[in-house]
């Protein structure tokens, strides 16, 4: 396992989490809740445990990106962002497409919101990680 920068992972995780907050809490909140069939009250009554799990998942993704970027020997922000985009296209998008393919209703809005969140989150996290050696 390559040696990773824990500060870089923490900052990348925080940046990715902020992207998620903006994506689901600000920019696409209403569209996402409608696509999920949630009311504002139902969303607000969710247990904070689920938000904590989301933070853990975000850290796991930042660690994974950091490992791949290290293994690949990525130099610079541009290469890191391109690598994250390729990883997204080959891994995150197909995983997201499973929900679209196998969930009755095949909600394209939900697919676009979720997949684009991961694309932006992964590229932002990769850009941050490229600044920490």
């Amino acid at each position: 396992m390559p040696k990773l920068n824990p500060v870089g992972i923490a900052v990348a995780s925080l940046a990715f989490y902020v992207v998620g907050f903006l994506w689901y809490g600000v920019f696409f909140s209403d569209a996402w809740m409608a696509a999920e069939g949630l009311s504002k009250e139902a969303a607000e009554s969710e247990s904070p445990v689920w938000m904590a799990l989301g933070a853990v998942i975000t850290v796991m993704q930042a660690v994974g990106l950091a490992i791949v970027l290290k293994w690949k020997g990525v130099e610079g922000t541009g290469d890191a962002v391109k690598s994250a985009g390729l990883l997204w296209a080959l891994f995150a998008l197909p995983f997201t497409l499973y929900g679209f393919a196998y969930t009755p209703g095949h909600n394209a809005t939900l697919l676009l919101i979720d997949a684009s969140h991961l694309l932006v989150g992964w590229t932002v996290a990769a850009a941050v990680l490229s600044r920490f050696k």
Side-chain angles (χ1 to χ4, degrees), residues 40-118:
K40 213 170 201 90
E41 296 76 29
E44 289 171 354
S45 70
E46 271 293 309
S47 169
V49 170
W50 297 112
M51 295 300 272
L53 179 60
V56 170
I57 293 166
T58 301
V59 172
M60 291 170 67
Q61 291 178 86
V63 168
L65 281 169
I67 289 170
V68 171
L69 295 176
K70 270 286 193 204
W71 280 342
K72 191 173 181 273
V74 167
E75 293 292 329
T77 303
D79 195 21
V81 168
K82 286 181 207 169
S83 296
L86 180 61
L87 290 168
W88 171 84
L90 296 174
F91 294 99
L93 181 59
F95 289 141
T96 307
L97 283 166
Y98 270 118
F100 178 75
Y102 293 115
T103 301
H106 313 286
N107 192 317
T109 300
L110 194 57
L111 170 66
L112 290 172
I113 293 170
D114 290 343
S116 62
H117 161 249
L118 291 174

